[in-house]
Amino acid sequence: MERKWWTLVVVCTATFMLLLDITIVNVALPSIARQLNASFSEIQWVVDAYALTLASLLLTAGALADLIGRRLVFTIGLVLFTLTSLLCGLAPSATFLIIARGGQGVGGAIMFATSLSLLAQEFQGRERGTAFAAWGATIGAAAAVGPLVGGVLTQAFGWASIFYLNVPIGVVAVALTLTKVAESRNPAATGVDWVGTVTFTAALFMIVFAVIEGDTKGWGSTEIVALLLGGAAEIVVFVVAQLTEDNAMLDVSLFRKPAFTGAAIVAFAVSCSMFAMFLYLTLYLQTILGLSPLQTGLRFLPVTLLSFFVAAASGNLSKRIPIRVLLGIGLALVGVGLLLMRGLTAHSHWTALLSGFIVSGAGIGLVNPALASTAIGVVPPQRSGMASGINTTFRQVGIATGIAAYGAVFQTAISSRLAKSLAGTPGATHSSQLAKAVAGGEAPSVLHGVPARVRPQATALVHGAFTSGLNEILLIAGILALAGAVLAVVLVRGSDFVGYAAPDPAAG
């Protein structure tokens, strides 16, 4: 087999592996929480540690690869991802797992940032389109099968198996990369923006940490206020650096195109609204409804499979329907789907989510291809790598901030509901601690010690508090998606595509 096809195999394998770890982990989180005795904030960090490091280092990794060698950097990313996957599986505590997940994110950022460059150096003309299509299909497939694979592995072999799966695949991928993939660099590379990297990373972690821990430590506490102010200051320094640095990691001038700004907003909105909700929907299905990891993975299939097949079928729609209309309808469907999931009660079954799953899955399928076309279609070809990286960064920031923000609202809503229900009883003083346990998926253990004669009432109370919190964040997520839909229609203009031979000029 020719070298270019080996390159495609390696890149698609690595991409599938790193993106699978975004979706596969959600189904295993309740099992991880029980076995490692993880708190609610630690559960959030298991997902956010990966998303934040992936988001903050993606653009830097691409610049570093252009400078010192794409195959070298890609191999380093593969080795790091494989090693930290092993450490995740061996994690003896939640803190250890969170740190290892951060390492996975670093490796994932390196691999993802260099994937398209490796393909572009090997494929030209029509074959390049074929290679990019295969890479895009790999991304869709990873999202589609992630929850099901996570459910199967977690139920059959335990949660650690979802990480061990990466080890043999990673070893083979490293061997193929070293023997089958050619090295390349960008002769025009100017260096790495370390100031931008440090300030962007620091800002993200400070703000997300403050939001996740704010309810526990107190929003007015010195630590939380200092973190929020520090994060804001880092954002200011980052923006100034991007405006003044010669080798800035983020080309601010790209945002002068309204369509590019619109694409970034859509990327953030779809991730912050729908993908961030998967954590809380998983907790509901497993800890409140008592479904197994495999049963949970199966319940998510209407979302994941429908999004995959709609995305495949919608590829030709951009020739007949303006891109902004596709983005607007897609995000609107996501928003409507999230709102359809609301109205849960203590006695609801999983089928109460089904209509929302179907509608939002179709919406995601419409958004993804149109979003990819928009992100790179409104910039000069030589800036397409950075444009794609910025769009992916906004996606990961959306997931990380969404999980953190929803967690704060979710926990507060549960605490408020419990406090009202327990008013005048001895348990009222412990409603805040009880809320943290319920939000973190510990409802079964909370109810375990309740006397049998009052257990039905206690179960209804706990389930009612959980669904009350879930309904509240579903409302917020739905409104966010609908707002993103409006902005997509307003900002993504067909005239911004002219000259770059991206989507059809009929794009609105």
Side-chain angles (χ1 to χ4, degrees):
M1 189 163 65
E2 293 181 65
R3 186 184 68 193
K4 59 185 177 183
W5 299 113
W6 279 115
T7 301
L8 179 61
V9 169
V10 170
V11 167
C12 287
T13 299
T15 301
F16 185 85
M17 186 168 60
L18 75 91
L19 291 177
L20 194 67
D21 264 43
I22 296 176
T23 57
I24 197 173
V25 171
N26 282 323
V27 177
L29 283 175
S31 299
I32 292 173
R34 286 193 298 271
Q35 188 166 334
L36 298 184
N37 195 29
S39 67
F40 180 48
S41 61
E42 287 172 331
I43 294 174
Q44 294 173 282
W45 274 113
V46 170
V47 180
D48 272 2
Y50 185 85
L52 285 175
T53 49
L54 185 61
S56 60
L57 298 177
L58 190 65
L59 296 174
T60 300
L64 188 63
D66 287 343
L67 186 67
I68 68 174
R70 292 161 181 152
R71 185 185 70 171
L72 172 61
V73 172
F74 184 79
T75 304
I76 292 172
L78 265 175
V79 171
L80 180 59
F81 190 88
T82 303
L83 177 61
T84 50
S85 293
L86 177 62
L87 294 177
C88 284
L90 296 172
S93 67
T95 301
F96 190 99
L97 177 60
I98 291 167
I99 295 171
R101 284 283 286 168
Q104 270 194 313
V106 175
I110 293 172
M111 291 190 292
F112 202 74
T114 52
S115 293
L116 285 178
S117 297
L118 288 172
L119 294 180
Q121 79 187 28
E122 293 290 346
F123 293 92
Q124 304 297 326
R126 183 171 295 180
E127 283 189 338
R128 178 177 289 186
T130 301
F132 283 3
W135 185 73
T138 299
I139 294 174
V145 305
L148 182 59
V149 172
V152 171
L153 290 175
T154 301
Q155 186 159 326
F157 307 106
W159 64 264
S161 62
I162 67 175
F163 299 112
Y164 291 145
L165 176 68
N166 296 329
V167 177
I169 298 174
V171 170
V172 172
V174 169
L176 290 176
T177 302
L178 293 174
T179 57
K180 302 293 185 180
V181 177
E183 183 61 282
S184 67
R185 295 176 180 82
N186 179 4
T190 58
V192 177
D193 177 12
W194 294 114
V195 174
T197 301
V198 171
T199 52
F200 185 59
T201 303
L204 283 180
F205 273 90
M206 283 183 182
I207 292 172
V208 170
F209 185 90
V211 174
I212 288 178
E213 299 293 337
D215 199 65
T216 300
K217 299 179 182 295
W219 290 101
S221 66
T222 301
E223 181 178 353
I224 298 302
V225 171
L227 284 168
L228 290 173
L229 291 176
E234 292 289 355
I235 290 176
V236 172
V237 175
F238 171 73
V239 172
V240 172
Q242 300 313 289
L243 291 171
T244 57
E245 290 277 345
D246 292 331
N247 60 332
M249 62 182 275
L250 190 153
D251 187 351
V252 180
S253 66
L254 295 177
F255 290 93
R256 293 172 185 167
K257 289 267 190 181
F260 186 81
T261 301
I265 291 172
V266 170
F268 178 88
V270 72
S271 293
C272 190
S273 61
M274 188 64 206
F275 292 106
M277 280 300 307
F278 277 124
L279 166 61
Y280 302 98
L281 292 170
T282 299
L283 289 175
Y284 172 67
L285 291 172
Q286 289 196 36
T287 64
I288 299 301
L289 298 188
L291 299 180
S292 69
L294 175 56
Q295 290 170 328
T296 300
L298 289 170
R299 298 311 190 275
F300 279 126
L301 285 180
V303 180
T304 57
L305 288 183
L306 196 57
S307 65
F308 178 75
F309 287 114
V310 169
S314 68
N316 295 322
L317 287 179
S318 60
K319 297 178 182 178
R320 301 187 298 272
I321 301 175
I323 289 288
R324 63 180 178 182
V325 173
L326 290 176
L327 291 173
I329 292 175
L331 259 182
L333 288 175
V334 171
V336 170
L338 288 163
L339 295 178
L340 285 173
M341 296 179 209
R342 295 186 71 243
L344 298 171
T345 69
H347 306 291
S348 295
H349 298 286
W350 84 271
T351 50
L353 300 172
L354 184 57
S355 61
F357 280 0
I358 293 172
V359 173
S360 58
I364 293 169
L366 283 178
V367 167
N368 281 338
L371 180 57
S373 298
T374 305
I376 64 173
V378 296
V379 301
Q382 63 270 25
R383 308 304 290 158
S384 60
M386 176 175 282
S388 178
I390 291 172
N391 197 261
T392 302
T393 298
F394 270 82
R395 281 181 178 271
Q396 298 305 315
V397 171
I399 292 174
T401 55
I403 286 174
Y406 296 153
V409 175
F410 185 56
Q411 190 169 311
T412 300
I414 292 175
S415 180
S416 176
R417 175 70 175 265
L418 289 174
K420 289 180 181 178
S421 299
L422 297 173
T425 70
T429 57
H430 303 291
S431 61
S432 179
Q433 292 88 340
L434 183 59
K436 293 175 185 177
V438 173
E442 298 177 36
S445 60
V446 168
L447 295 168
H448 181 70
V450 176
R453 58 186 174 80
V454 295
R455 190 168 297 169
Q457 298 93 316
T459 300
L461 173 62
V462 169
H463 289 195
F466 189 102
T467 54
S468 175
L470 188 57
N471 285 332
E472 191 158 331
I473 60 177
L474 281 168
L475 175 62
I476 295 171
I479 292 173
L480 175 62
L482 293 175
V486 173
L487 290 173
V489 173
V490 171
L491 294 173
V492 179
R493 308 175 307 185
S495 58
D496 287 342
F497 291 94
V498 174
Y500 301 130
D504 191 274

Coordinates of all heavy atoms in Angstrom, one line a residue, residues 59 249-268 327 371-380 383-394 487-488 491-493 495-497 500:
L59 N -4.0 25.1 19.0 CA -3.4 26.0 18.1 C -1.8 26.0 18.2 O -1.1 26.1 17.3 CB -3.9 27.4 18.2 CG -5.4 27.6 17.9 CD1 -5.9 29.0 18.3 CD2 -5.7 27.3 16.4
M249 N -0.9 33.1 18.1 CA -1.5 31.8 17.9 C -2.9 31.9 17.3 O -3.4 30.9 16.7 CB -1.6 31.0 19.2 CG -2.4 31.6 20.3 SD -2.4 30.7 21.8 CE -3.7 29.5 21.5
L250 N -3.5 33.0 17.5 CA -4.9 33.3 17.0 C -4.9 34.5 16.1 O -4.6 35.6 16.6 CB -5.9 33.4 18.1 CG -7.4 33.4 17.8 CD1 -8.2 32.8 19.0 CD2 -7.9 34.8 17.5
D251 N -5.2 34.4 14.9 CA -5.2 35.5 13.9 C -6.6 36.3 14.2 O -7.6 35.9 13.6 CB -5.1 35.0 12.5 CG -5.0 36.2 11.5 OD1 -5.2 37.4 11.9 OD2 -4.7 35.9 10.3
V252 N -6.5 37.4 14.9 CA -7.7 38.1 15.3 C -8.4 38.7 14.1 O -9.6 38.9 14.0 CB -7.3 39.2 16.3 CG1 -8.6 40.0 16.7 CG2 -6.7 38.6 17.5
S253 N -7.6 39.0 13.0 CA -8.2 39.6 11.8 C -9.2 38.7 11.1 O -10.1 39.1 10.4 CB -7.1 39.9 10.8 OG -6.5 38.7 10.3
L254 N -9.2 37.3 11.4 CA -10.1 36.4 10.8 C -11.6 36.8 11.3 O -12.5 36.5 10.6 CB -9.8 35.0 11.2 CG -8.5 34.4 10.6 CD1 -8.3 33.0 11.2 CD2 -8.5 34.4 9.1
F255 N -11.7 37.3 12.5 CA -13.0 37.6 13.1 C -13.6 38.9 12.4 O -14.7 39.3 12.8 CB -12.9 37.8 14.6 CG -12.6 36.5 15.3 CD1 -11.4 36.1 15.6 CD2 -13.7 35.6 15.6 CE1 -11.1 34.9 16.2 CE2 -13.4 34.4 16.2 CZ -12.2 34.1 16.6
R256 N -12.9 39.5 11.5 CA -13.4 40.7 10.8 C -14.5 40.2 9.8 O -15.4 40.9 9.4 CB -12.4 41.4 10.0 CG -11.4 42.1 11.0 CD -10.2 42.7 10.2 NE -9.2 43.3 11.1 CZ -8.0 43.7 10.7 NH1 -7.6 43.5 9.4 NH2 -7.1 44.2 11.5
K257 N -14.4 38.9 9.4 CA -15.4 38.3 8.6 C -16.6 37.9 9.5 O -16.5 37.0 10.3 CB -14.9 37.1 7.9 CG -13.9 37.4 6.8 CD -14.5 37.5 5.5 CE -13.5 37.6 4.4 NZ -14.1 37.7 3.0
P258 N -17.8 38.5 9.3 CA -18.9 38.1 10.1 C -19.2 36.6 10.1 O -19.6 36.0 11.1 CB -20.1 38.9 9.6 CG -19.4 40.1 9.0 CD -18.1 39.6 8.4
A259 N -19.0 36.0 8.9 CA -19.3 34.6 8.8 C -18.4 33.7 9.6 O -18.8 32.7 10.2 CB -19.2 34.1 7.3
F260 N -17.1 34.1 9.7 CA -16.2 33.4 10.6 C -16.5 33.5 12.0 O -16.5 32.5 12.8 CB -14.7 33.9 10.4 CG -13.7 33.1 11.1 CD1 -13.2 31.9 10.6 CD2 -13.2 33.5 12.3 CE1 -12.3 31.1 11.2 CE2 -12.3 32.7 13.0 CZ -11.8 31.6 12.4
T261 N -16.9 34.7 12.5 CA -17.4 34.9 13.8 C -18.6 34.1 14.1 O -18.8 33.5 15.1 CB -17.7 36.4 14.1 OG1 -16.5 37.2 13.8 CG2 -18.2 36.6 15.5
G262 N -19.5 34.1 13.1 CA -20.7 33.3 13.2 C -20.4 31.8 13.4 O -21.1 31.1 14.2
A263 N -19.4 31.3 12.6 CA -19.1 29.9 12.7 C -18.5 29.6 14.1 O -18.8 28.5 14.7 CB -18.0 29.6 11.7
A264 N -17.7 30.5 14.7 CA -17.2 30.3 16.0 C -18.3 30.3 17.0 O -18.3 29.4 18.0 CB -16.2 31.4 16.3
I265 N -19.3 31.1 16.9 CA -20.4 31.2 17.8 C -21.2 29.9 17.7 O -21.7 29.3 18.7 CB -21.3 32.4 17.5 CG1 -20.6 33.7 17.9 CG2 -22.6 32.3 18.3 CD1 -21.3 34.9 17.5
V266 N -21.5 29.4 16.5 CA -22.2 28.1 16.3 C -21.5 27.0 16.9 O -22.1 26.1 17.6 CB -22.4 27.9 14.8 CG1 -23.0 26.5 14.6 CG2 -23.4 28.9 14.2
A267 N -20.1 26.9 16.7 CA -19.3 25.8 17.3 C -19.5 25.9 18.8 O -19.6 24.8 19.5 CB -17.9 26.0 16.9
F268 N -19.4 27.0 19.4 CA -19.5 27.2 20.9 C -20.9 26.8 21.3 O -21.1 26.0 22.3 CB -19.2 28.6 21.3 CG -19.4 28.8 22.8 CD1 -18.3 28.6 23.7 CD2 -20.6 29.3 23.3 CE1 -18.5 28.8 25.0 CE2 -20.7 29.5 24.7 CZ -19.7 29.2 25.5
L327 N -27.3 26.1 9.1 CA -26.8 26.3 10.4 C -27.9 26.7 11.4 O -28.1 26.2 12.5 CB -25.7 27.3 10.4 CG -24.4 26.9 9.8 CD1 -23.4 28.1 9.7 CD2 -23.7 25.8 10.6
L371 N -21.0 23.6 9.3 CA -20.1 24.4 10.2 C -18.7 24.2 9.7 O -17.9 25.1 9.6 CB -20.2 23.9 11.6 CG -19.3 24.5 12.7 CD1 -19.5 26.1 12.7 CD2 -19.6 24.0 14.0
A372 N -18.3 22.9 9.3 CA -17.0 22.7 8.8 C -16.7 23.5 7.6 O -15.6 24.0 7.4 CB -16.8 21.2 8.6
S373 N -17.7 23.5 6.7 CA -17.5 24.3 5.4 C -17.4 25.8 5.7 O -16.5 26.4 5.0 CB -18.8 24.0 4.5 OG -18.9 22.7 4.2
T374 N -18.1 26.3 6.6 CA -18.1 27.7 6.9 C -16.8 28.1 7.6 O -16.2 29.1 7.2 CB -19.2 28.1 7.8 OG1 -20.5 27.7 7.3 CG2 -19.3 29.6 8.1
A375 N -16.3 27.3 8.5 CA -15.1 27.6 9.3 C -13.9 27.9 8.3 O -13.1 28.8 8.6 CB -14.8 26.6 10.3
I376 N -13.7 27.0 7.3 CA -12.6 27.1 6.4 C -12.9 27.8 5.1 O -12.0 28.1 4.3 CB -11.9 25.8 6.2 CG1 -12.9 24.8 5.4 CG2 -11.5 25.1 7.5 CD1 -12.3 23.5 5.0
G377 N -14.2 28.0 4.8 CA -14.6 28.5 3.5 C -14.6 30.0 3.4 O -14.7 30.5 2.3
V378 N -14.4 30.7 4.5 CA -14.4 32.2 4.5 C -13.1 32.8 4.7 O -12.9 34.0 5.0 CB -15.4 32.7 5.5 CG1 -16.8 32.3 5.1 CG2 -15.1 32.3 6.9
V379 N -12.0 31.9 4.7 CA -10.6 32.4 4.9 C -9.8 32.0 3.7 O -10.1 31.1 3.0 CB -10.0 31.9 6.2 CG1 -10.9 32.2 7.4 CG2 -9.9 30.3 6.1
P380 N -8.7 32.7 3.5 CA -7.8 32.3 2.4 C -7.3 30.8 2.7 O -7.2 30.4 3.8 CB -6.6 33.3 2.5 CG -7.2 34.5 3.2 CD -8.2 33.9 4.1
R383 N -4.8 30.0 5.4 CA -5.3 30.2 6.8 C -6.3 29.1 7.2 O -6.8 29.2 8.3 CB -5.9 31.6 7.0 CG -5.1 32.8 6.4 CD -3.8 32.8 7.0 NE -3.8 33.2 8.4 CZ -2.8 32.9 9.3 NH1 -1.7 32.2 8.9 NH2 -2.9 33.3 10.6
S384 N -6.5 28.2 6.4 CA -7.6 27.2 6.7 C -7.2 26.3 7.9 O -8.1 25.9 8.7 CB -7.8 26.3 5.5 OG -6.6 25.6 5.1
G385 N -5.9 26.0 8.1 CA -5.5 25.2 9.2 C -5.8 26.0 10.6 O -6.4 25.4 11.5
M386 N -5.4 27.2 10.6 CA -5.7 28.0 11.8 C -7.2 28.2 12.0 O -7.8 28.1 13.1 CB -5.1 29.4 11.8 CG -5.4 30.3 13.0 SD -4.6 31.9 13.0 CE -3.0 31.3 13.7
A387 N -8.0 28.4 10.9 CA -9.4 28.6 11.0 C -10.1 27.3 11.6 O -10.9 27.4 12.4 CB -10.0 28.9 9.6
S388 N -9.7 26.2 11.1 CA -10.2 24.9 11.6 C -9.8 24.7 13.1 O -10.7 24.3 13.9 CB -9.7 23.7 10.8 OG -10.1 22.5 11.3
G389 N -8.6 25.1 13.4 CA -8.2 24.9 14.8 C -9.0 25.9 15.7 O -9.3 25.4 16.8
I390 N -9.2 27.1 15.3 CA -10.0 28.0 16.1 C -11.4 27.5 16.3 O -12.0 27.5 17.4 CB -10.0 29.4 15.4 CG1 -8.7 30.1 15.5 CG2 -11.1 30.3 16.1 CD1 -8.6 31.3 14.7
N391 N -12.0 26.9 15.3 CA -13.4 26.4 15.4 C -13.4 25.2 16.3 O -14.3 25.1 17.2 CB -13.9 26.0 14.0 CG -15.4 25.8 13.9 OD1 -15.9 24.7 14.0 ND2 -16.1 26.9 13.8
T392 N -12.4 24.3 16.3 CA -12.4 23.2 17.2 C -12.1 23.7 18.6 O -12.7 23.1 19.6 CB -11.2 22.2 16.8 OG1 -11.5 21.8 15.4 CG2 -11.2 21.0 17.7
T393 N -11.3 24.7 18.8 CA -11.1 25.3 20.1 C -12.4 25.8 20.7 O -12.7 25.6 21.9 CB -10.1 26.4 20.0 OG1 -8.8 25.9 19.5 CG2 -9.9 27.1 21.4
F394 N -13.2 26.5 19.9 CA -14.5 27.0 20.4 C -15.4 25.9 20.8 O -16.2 26.0 21.7 CB -15.1 27.9 19.4 CG -14.8 29.4 19.5 CD1 -13.6 29.8 18.9 CD2 -15.6 30.3 20.1 CE1 -13.2 31.2 19.0 CE2 -15.2 31.6 20.2 CZ -14.0 32.0 19.7
L487 N -28.1 34.0 15.6 CA -26.8 34.6 15.2 C -26.2 34.0 14.0 O -25.6 34.7 13.2 CB -25.9 34.5 16.4 CG -26.2 35.4 17.6 CD1 -25.3 35.1 18.8 CD2 -26.2 36.9 17.3
A488 N -26.4 32.7 13.8 CA -25.9 32.1 12.6 C -26.5 32.6 11.4 O -25.9 32.9 10.4 CB -26.2 30.6 12.7
L491 N -25.2 36.4 10.9 CA -23.8 36.6 10.7 C -23.2 35.9 9.5 O -22.3 36.4 8.8 CB -23.0 36.2 11.9 CG -23.2 37.1 13.2 CD1 -22.5 36.5 14.4 CD2 -22.7 38.5 12.9
V492 N -23.7 34.7 9.2 CA -23.1 33.9 8.1 C -23.7 34.4 6.8 O -24.8 34.0 6.4 CB -23.3 32.4 8.3 CG1 -22.7 31.6 7.1 CG2 -22.7 31.9 9.6
R493 N -22.9 35.2 6.0 CA -23.3 35.8 4.8 C -22.6 35.1 3.6 O -21.4 34.8 3.7 CB -23.0 37.2 4.7 CG -23.5 38.0 6.0 CD -23.1 39.4 6.0 NE -21.6 39.6 5.8 CZ -21.0 40.7 5.8 NH1 -21.7 41.8 6.0 NH2 -19.7 40.7 5.6
S495 N -21.7 36.4 0.9 CA -20.6 37.2 0.3 C -19.3 37.0 0.9 O -18.2 37.2 0.3 CB -21.0 38.7 0.4 OG -21.2 39.0 1.8
D496 N -19.2 36.5 2.1 CA -18.0 36.2 2.8 C -17.2 35.0 2.2 O -16.0 34.8 2.4 CB -18.2 36.0 4.3 CG -18.5 37.2 5.1 OD1 -18.2 38.3 4.5 OD2 -19.0 37.2 6.2
F497 N -18.0 34.2 1.5 CA -17.3 33.0 0.8 C -16.7 33.3 -0.5 O -15.9 32.6 -1.0 CB -18.4 31.9 0.6 CG -18.9 31.3 1.9 CD1 -20.0 31.7 2.5 CD2 -18.2 30.2 2.4 CE1 -20.5 31.1 3.6 CE2 -18.7 29.6 3.6 CZ -19.8 30.1 4.2
Y500 N -12.9 32.3 -2.3 CA -12.2 31.2 -1.7 C -12.7 29.8 -2.2 O -12.3 28.8 -1.7 CB -12.2 31.3 -0.2 CG -11.7 32.6 0.3 CD1 -12.4 33.3 1.2 CD2 -10.4 33.0 -0.1 CE1 -11.8 34.5 1.7 CE2 -9.9 34.2 0.3 CZ -10.6 35.0 1.2 OH -10.1 36.1 1.7

